Amino acid sequence: MNRFGKAGYALDHVAIVVGDLDASVEFYTRTLGLEVVYRQTIPGQGVEAVGLDAGDSIIELLRPLDEESPIARFRGDASTKLHHTAYRVGDIRAELARLKSAGVRLIDDQPRRGAHGNIIAFLHPKSTGGVLIELCERDPASTPLTDP
Ligand code: CO
């Protein structure tokens, strides 16, 4: 479990849309030596995600399942692009309420099920300086970091 900073945030994962998922997984595993901790296809989001163990945090590589995927549209003409940074918080509902009252624009008013045993919510990049930010909280009822 990550160490939380004084604000109660801990970097959980950094998600990158990549042009060639297999080539990227090969680089991270064979060249850097990181281990794959999950590999999941999430049809509802039009994405395949591979999570790699980077110590206290995860590097998550994303591949759109097709060109209609929101992630494909996000990537546009770029081959590879930072998609979001995700911070673990202790109480996601309380933090969303706090941010909303502070005027932060939320994509998800209510948390929902994420890709990797988390409950998640996104903050709108218009409120965050341009980078999509995800908040996440581990769901104790879920099986952590493994494919079903
Ligand atoms: Co994420």
Side-chain angles (χ1 to χ4, degrees), residues 13 15 60 84 86 116 122 134:
H13 60 275
E60 187 177 78
H84 63 272
H116 24 76
F122 284 99
E134 174 190 323

Side-chain angles (χ1 to χ4, degrees), residues 64-79:
L65 295 178
D66 57 55
E67 290 308 309
E68 301 309 307
S69 162
I71 280 176
R73 292 202 298 272
F74 167 85
R75 181 174 64 186
D77 292 332
S79 160

Side-chain angles (χ1 to χ4, degrees), residues 1 17 28 35 37 61 76 83 85 108 111:
M1 182 59 77
V17 194
Y28 279 90
E35 286 184 6
V37 286
L61 306 176
H83 187 258
T85 54
D108 301 299

